[in-house]
PDB file of all heavy atoms in Angstrom:
ATOM      1  N   VAL A 438      30.071 142.667 -44.034  1.00 98.00           N
ATOM      2  CA  VAL A 438      29.252 141.451 -43.930  1.00 98.00           C
ATOM      3  C   VAL A 438      28.534 141.425 -42.572  1.00 98.00           C
ATOM      4  O   VAL A 438      27.339 141.100 -42.492  1.00 98.00           O
ATOM      5  CB  VAL A 438      30.136 140.187 -44.123  1.00 98.00           C
ATOM      6  CG1 VAL A 438      29.331 138.918 -43.860  1.00 98.00           C
ATOM      7  CG2 VAL A 438      30.706 140.171 -45.534  1.00 98.00           C
ATOM      8  N   ALA A 439      29.236 141.827 -41.517  1.00 98.00           N
ATOM      9  CA  ALA A 439      28.603 141.845 -40.189  1.00 98.00           C
ATOM     10  C   ALA A 439      27.442 142.829 -40.173  1.00 98.00           C
ATOM     11  O   ALA A 439      26.382 142.563 -39.558  1.00 98.00           O
ATOM     12  CB  ALA A 439      29.641 142.213 -39.132  1.00 98.00           C
ATOM     13  N   ALA A 440      27.613 143.956 -40.854  1.00 98.00           N
ATOM     14  CA  ALA A 440      26.535 144.958 -40.883  1.00 98.00           C
ATOM     15  C   ALA A 440      25.312 144.401 -41.622  1.00 98.00           C
ATOM     16  O   ALA A 440      24.166 144.577 -41.180  1.00 98.00           O
ATOM     17  CB  ALA A 440      27.034 146.230 -41.549  1.00 98.00           C
ATOM     18  N   LEU A 441      25.548 143.729 -42.737  1.00 98.00           N
ATOM     19  CA  LEU A 441      24.413 143.140 -43.480  1.00 98.00           C
ATOM     20  C   LEU A 441      23.781 142.008 -42.667  1.00 98.00           C
ATOM     21  O   LEU A 441      22.571 141.784 -42.704  1.00 98.00           O
ATOM     22  CB  LEU A 441      24.891 142.631 -44.842  1.00 98.00           C
ATOM     23  CG  LEU A 441      25.350 143.713 -45.830  1.00 98.00           C
ATOM     24  CD1 LEU A 441      26.067 143.104 -47.020  1.00 98.00           C
ATOM     25  CD2 LEU A 441      24.153 144.525 -46.324  1.00 98.00           C
ATOM     26  N   ARG A 442      24.605 141.311 -41.933  1.00 97.00           N
ATOM     27  CA  ARG A 442      24.139 140.158 -41.148  1.00 97.00           C
ATOM     28  C   ARG A 442      23.260 140.595 -39.968  1.00 97.00           C
ATOM     29  O   ARG A 442      22.544 139.770 -39.372  1.00 97.00           O
ATOM     30  CB  ARG A 442      25.378 139.375 -40.683  1.00 97.00           C
ATOM     31  CG  ARG A 442      25.215 138.052 -39.971  1.00 97.00           C
ATOM     32  CD  ARG A 442      24.353 137.054 -40.662  1.00 97.00           C
ATOM     33  NE  ARG A 442      22.934 137.346 -40.514  1.00 97.00           N
ATOM     34  CZ  ARG A 442      21.953 136.536 -40.875  1.00 97.00           C
ATOM     35  NH1 ARG A 442      22.211 135.392 -41.460  1.00 97.00           N
ATOM     36  NH2 ARG A 442      20.696 136.862 -40.705  1.00 97.00           N
ATOM     37  N   ARG A 443      23.289 141.900 -39.649  1.00 97.00           N
ATOM     38  CA  ARG A 443      22.425 142.360 -38.553  1.00 97.00           C
ATOM     39  C   ARG A 443      20.957 142.179 -38.886  1.00 97.00           C
ATOM     40  O   ARG A 443      20.093 142.168 -38.020  1.00 97.00           O
ATOM     41  CB  ARG A 443      22.708 143.836 -38.241  1.00 97.00           C
ATOM     42  CG  ARG A 443      23.945 144.047 -37.366  1.00 97.00           C
ATOM     43  CD  ARG A 443      23.937 145.426 -36.732  1.00 97.00           C
ATOM     44  NE  ARG A 443      24.020 146.489 -37.719  1.00 97.00           N
ATOM     45  CZ  ARG A 443      25.172 147.053 -38.107  1.00 97.00           C
ATOM     46  NH1 ARG A 443      26.304 146.665 -37.579  1.00 97.00           N
ATOM     47  NH2 ARG A 443      25.163 148.006 -39.008  1.00 97.00           N
ATOM     48  N   ALA A 444      20.636 142.044 -40.186  1.00 98.00           N
ATOM     49  CA  ALA A 444      19.234 141.835 -40.577  1.00 98.00           C
ATOM     50  C   ALA A 444      18.739 140.498 -40.008  1.00 98.00           C
ATOM     51  O   ALA A 444      19.519 139.554 -39.853  1.00 98.00           O
ATOM     52  CB  ALA A 444      19.133 141.827 -42.094  1.00 98.00           C
ATOM     53  N   ARG A 445      17.473 140.456 -39.730  1.00 98.00           N
ATOM     54  CA  ARG A 445      16.904 139.188 -39.241  1.00 98.00           C
ATOM     55  C   ARG A 445      17.045 138.091 -40.283  1.00 98.00           C
ATOM     56  O   ARG A 445      17.295 136.931 -39.974  1.00 98.00           O
ATOM     57  CB  ARG A 445      15.409 139.415 -38.894  1.00 98.00           C
ATOM     58  CG  ARG A 445      14.650 138.159 -38.524  1.00 98.00           C
ATOM     59  CD  ARG A 445      13.236 138.465 -38.083  1.00 98.00           C
ATOM     60  NE  ARG A 445      12.463 139.242 -39.042  1.00 98.00           N
ATOM     61  CZ  ARG A 445      11.928 138.755 -40.149  1.00 98.00           C
ATOM     62  NH1 ARG A 445      12.101 137.492 -40.472  1.00 98.00           N
ATOM     63  NH2 ARG A 445      11.223 139.538 -40.953  1.00 98.00           N
ATOM     64  N   PHE A 446      16.927 138.487 -41.574  1.00 98.00           N
ATOM     65  CA  PHE A 446      16.968 137.498 -42.647  1.00 98.00           C
ATOM     66  C   PHE A 446      17.772 138.071 -43.821  1.00 98.00           C
ATOM     67  O   PHE A 446      17.478 139.153 -44.326  1.00 98.00           O
ATOM     68  CB  PHE A 446      15.541 137.171 -43.097  1.00 98.00           C
ATOM     69  CG  PHE A 446      15.462 136.060 -44.095  1.00 98.00           C
ATOM     70  CD1 PHE A 446      15.508 134.734 -43.684  1.00 98.00           C
ATOM     71  CD2 PHE A 446      15.351 136.333 -45.447  1.00 98.00           C
ATOM     72  CE1 PHE A 446      15.449 133.704 -44.613  1.00 98.00           C
ATOM     73  CE2 PHE A 446      15.289 135.311 -46.370  1.00 98.00           C
ATOM     74  CZ  PHE A 446      15.332 133.993 -45.949  1.00 98.00           C
ATOM     75  N   LEU A 447      18.801 137.320 -44.219  1.00 98.00           N
ATOM     76  CA  LEU A 447      19.696 137.775 -45.294  1.00 98.00           C
ATOM     77  C   LEU A 447      19.680 136.746 -46.425  1.00 98.00           C
ATOM     78  O   LEU A 447      20.046 135.586 -46.216  1.00 98.00           O
ATOM     79  CB  LEU A 447      21.120 137.924 -44.740  1.00 98.00           C
ATOM     80  CG  LEU A 447      22.235 138.266 -45.735  1.00 98.00           C
ATOM     81  CD1 LEU A 447      21.993 139.614 -46.411  1.00 98.00           C
ATOM     82  CD2 LEU A 447      23.595 138.276 -45.029  1.00 98.00           C
ATOM     83  N   ALA A 448      19.229 137.169 -47.601  1.00 98.00           N
ATOM     84  CA  ALA A 448      19.187 136.269 -48.764  1.00 98.00           C
ATOM     85  C   ALA A 448      20.144 136.781 -49.819  1.00 98.00           C
ATOM     86  O   ALA A 448      20.173 137.983 -50.102  1.00 98.00           O
ATOM     87  CB  ALA A 448      17.772 136.224 -49.338  1.00 98.00           C
ATOM     88  N   VAL A 449      20.948 135.878 -50.407  1.00 98.00           N
ATOM     89  CA  VAL A 449      21.877 136.322 -51.448  1.00 98.00           C
ATOM     90  C   VAL A 449      21.845 135.374 -52.647  1.00 98.00           C
ATOM     91  O   VAL A 449      21.672 134.166 -52.497  1.00 98.00           O
ATOM     92  CB  VAL A 449      23.337 136.435 -50.933  1.00 98.00           C
ATOM     93  CG1 VAL A 449      23.456 137.395 -49.776  1.00 98.00           C
ATOM     94  CG2 VAL A 449      23.902 135.095 -50.561  1.00 98.00           C
ATOM     95  N   CYS A 450      21.993 135.971 -53.818  1.00 98.00           N
ATOM     96  CA  CYS A 450      22.208 135.199 -55.043  1.00 98.00           C
ATOM     97  C   CYS A 450      23.715 135.204 -55.279  1.00 98.00           C
ATOM     98  O   CYS A 450      24.347 136.265 -55.209  1.00 98.00           O
ATOM     99  CB  CYS A 450      21.534 135.862 -56.231  1.00 98.00           C
ATOM    100  SG  CYS A 450      19.753 136.043 -56.059  1.00 98.00           S
ATOM    101  N   ALA A 451      24.283 134.042 -55.567  1.00 97.00           N
ATOM    102  CA  ALA A 451      25.740 133.987 -55.644  1.00 97.00           C
ATOM    103  C   ALA A 451      26.192 132.953 -56.654  1.00 97.00           C
ATOM    104  O   ALA A 451      25.538 131.926 -56.853  1.00 97.00           O
ATOM    105  CB  ALA A 451      26.329 133.636 -54.281  1.00 97.00           C
ATOM    106  N   ARG A 452      27.331 133.240 -57.257  1.00 94.00           N
ATOM    107  CA  ARG A 452      27.909 132.260 -58.180  1.00 94.00           C
ATOM    108  C   ARG A 452      28.962 131.429 -57.476  1.00 94.00           C
ATOM    109  O   ARG A 452      29.043 130.226 -57.671  1.00 94.00           O
ATOM    110  CB  ARG A 452      28.508 133.017 -59.370  1.00 94.00           C
ATOM    111  CG  ARG A 452      28.888 132.103 -60.436  1.00 94.00           C
ATOM    112  CD  ARG A 452      28.869 132.606 -61.797  1.00 94.00           C
ATOM    113  NE  ARG A 452      29.475 131.542 -62.553  1.00 94.00           N
ATOM    114  CZ  ARG A 452      30.761 131.457 -62.770  1.00 94.00           C
ATOM    115  NH1 ARG A 452      31.575 132.394 -62.371  1.00 94.00           N
ATOM    116  NH2 ARG A 452      31.232 130.410 -63.417  1.00 94.00           N
ATOM    117  N   THR A 453      29.770 132.077 -56.671  1.00 93.00           N
ATOM    118  CA  THR A 453      30.792 131.347 -55.923  1.00 93.00           C
ATOM    119  C   THR A 453      30.721 131.770 -54.454  1.00 93.00           C
ATOM    120  O   THR A 453      30.187 132.831 -54.132  1.00 93.00           O
ATOM    121  CB  THR A 453      32.202 131.649 -56.465  1.00 93.00           C
ATOM    122  OG1 THR A 453      32.328 133.058 -56.567  1.00 93.00           O
ATOM    123  CG2 THR A 453      32.434 131.022 -57.812  1.00 93.00           C
ATOM    124  N   ALA A 454      31.295 130.933 -53.607  1.00 94.00           N
ATOM    125  CA  ALA A 454      31.217 131.201 -52.169  1.00 94.00           C
ATOM    126  C   ALA A 454      32.108 132.374 -51.787  1.00 94.00           C
ATOM    127  O   ALA A 454      33.183 132.559 -52.356  1.00 94.00           O
ATOM    128  CB  ALA A 454      31.639 129.953 -51.405  1.00 94.00           C
ATOM    129  N   ASN A 455      31.650 133.178 -50.857  1.00 95.00           N
ATOM    130  CA  ASN A 455      32.490 134.226 -50.259  1.00 95.00           C
ATOM    131  C   ASN A 455      31.970 134.482 -48.845  1.00 95.00           C
ATOM    132  O   ASN A 455      31.099 133.758 -48.338  1.00 95.00           O
ATOM    133  CB  ASN A 455      32.502 135.504 -51.122  1.00 95.00           C
ATOM    134  CG  ASN A 455      31.156 136.194 -51.203  1.00 95.00           C
ATOM    135  OD1 ASN A 455      30.177 135.760 -50.583  1.00 95.00           O
ATOM    136  ND2 ASN A 455      31.090 137.269 -51.953  1.00 95.00           N
ATOM    137  N   ALA A 456      32.501 135.518 -48.207  1.00 96.00           N
ATOM    138  CA  ALA A 456      32.133 135.789 -46.809  1.00 96.00           C
ATOM    139  C   ALA A 456      30.632 136.025 -46.692  1.00 96.00           C
ATOM    140  O   ALA A 456      30.001 135.636 -45.699  1.00 96.00           O
ATOM    141  CB  ALA A 456      32.912 136.995 -46.313  1.00 96.00           C
ATOM    142  N   LEU A 457      30.058 136.660 -47.702  1.00 97.00           N
ATOM    143  CA  LEU A 457      28.628 136.978 -47.630  1.00 97.00           C
ATOM    144  C   LEU A 457      27.766 135.721 -47.741  1.00 97.00           C
ATOM    145  O   LEU A 457      26.772 135.581 -47.029  1.00 97.00           O
ATOM    146  CB  LEU A 457      28.298 137.975 -48.754  1.00 97.00           C
ATOM    147  CG  LEU A 457      26.965 138.692 -48.655  1.00 97.00           C
ATOM    148  CD1 LEU A 457      26.814 139.420 -47.326  1.00 97.00           C
ATOM    149  CD2 LEU A 457      26.828 139.678 -49.811  1.00 97.00           C
ATOM    150  N   THR A 458      28.137 134.805 -48.631  1.00 96.00           N
ATOM    151  CA  THR A 458      27.325 133.577 -48.756  1.00 96.00           C
ATOM    152  C   THR A 458      27.432 132.757 -47.465  1.00 96.00           C
ATOM    153  O   THR A 458      26.465 132.107 -47.061  1.00 96.00           O
ATOM    154  CB  THR A 458      27.770 132.707 -49.946  1.00 96.00           C
ATOM    155  OG1 THR A 458      29.138 132.348 -49.776  1.00 96.00           O
ATOM    156  CG2 THR A 458      27.579 133.411 -51.270  1.00 96.00           C
ATOM    157  N   ARG A 459      28.596 132.796 -46.834  1.00 95.00           N
ATOM    158  CA  ARG A 459      28.749 132.017 -45.588  1.00 95.00           C
ATOM    159  C   ARG A 459      27.902 132.610 -44.460  1.00 95.00           C
ATOM    160  O   ARG A 459      27.518 131.919 -43.533  1.00 95.00           O
ATOM    161  CB  ARG A 459      30.228 131.945 -45.185  1.00 95.00           C
ATOM    162  CG  ARG A 459      31.018 131.003 -46.095  1.00 95.00           C
ATOM    163  CD  ARG A 459      32.432 130.786 -45.609  1.00 95.00           C
ATOM    164  NE  ARG A 459      33.293 131.926 -45.902  1.00 95.00           N
ATOM    165  CZ  ARG A 459      33.919 132.112 -47.066  1.00 95.00           C
ATOM    166  NH1 ARG A 459      33.813 131.219 -48.030  1.00 95.00           N
ATOM    167  NH2 ARG A 459      34.665 133.171 -47.255  1.00 95.00           N
ATOM    168  N   ALA A 460      27.590 133.899 -44.585  1.00 96.00           N
ATOM    169  CA  ALA A 460      26.798 134.538 -43.531  1.00 96.00           C
ATOM    170  C   ALA A 460      25.288 134.490 -43.816  1.00 96.00           C
ATOM    171  O   ALA A 460      24.481 134.765 -42.934  1.00 96.00           O
ATOM    172  CB  ALA A 460      27.234 135.995 -43.388  1.00 96.00           C
ATOM    173  N   ALA A 461      24.923 134.146 -45.049  1.00 98.00           N
ATOM    174  CA  ALA A 461      23.520 134.309 -45.474  1.00 98.00           C
ATOM    175  C   ALA A 461      22.594 133.244 -44.894  1.00 98.00           C
ATOM    176  O   ALA A 461      23.025 132.148 -44.550  1.00 98.00           O
ATOM    177  CB  ALA A 461      23.464 134.277 -46.998  1.00 98.00           C
ATOM    178  N   ASP A 462      21.308 133.586 -44.819  1.00 98.00           N
ATOM    179  CA  ASP A 462      20.293 132.604 -44.423  1.00 98.00           C
ATOM    180  C   ASP A 462      19.874 131.761 -45.621  1.00 98.00           C
ATOM    181  O   ASP A 462      19.594 130.577 -45.482  1.00 98.00           O
ATOM    182  CB  ASP A 462      19.073 133.332 -43.856  1.00 98.00           C
ATOM    183  CG  ASP A 462      19.406 134.024 -42.550  1.00 98.00           C
ATOM    184  OD1 ASP A 462      19.807 133.330 -41.603  1.00 98.00           O
ATOM    185  OD2 ASP A 462      19.302 135.267 -42.492  1.00 98.00           O
ATOM    186  N   VAL A 463      19.771 132.416 -46.765  1.00 98.00           N
ATOM    187  CA  VAL A 463      19.436 131.678 -47.988  1.00 98.00           C
ATOM    188  C   VAL A 463      20.464 132.034 -49.051  1.00 98.00           C
ATOM    189  O   VAL A 463      20.796 133.203 -49.234  1.00 98.00           O
ATOM    190  CB  VAL A 463      18.019 132.045 -48.503  1.00 98.00           C
ATOM    191  CG1 VAL A 463      17.843 131.624 -49.942  1.00 98.00           C
ATOM    192  CG2 VAL A 463      16.965 131.381 -47.650  1.00 98.00           C
TER     193      VAL A 463
END
Side-chain angles (χ1 to χ4, degrees):
V438 174
L441 293 168
R442 186 52 283 189
R443 280 198 296 267
R445 173 175 54 76
F446 186 81
L447 174 62
V449 301
C450 300
R452 190 152 172 270
T453 49
N455 66 2
L457 195 55
T458 59
R459 287 187 284 275
D462 293 300
V463 163

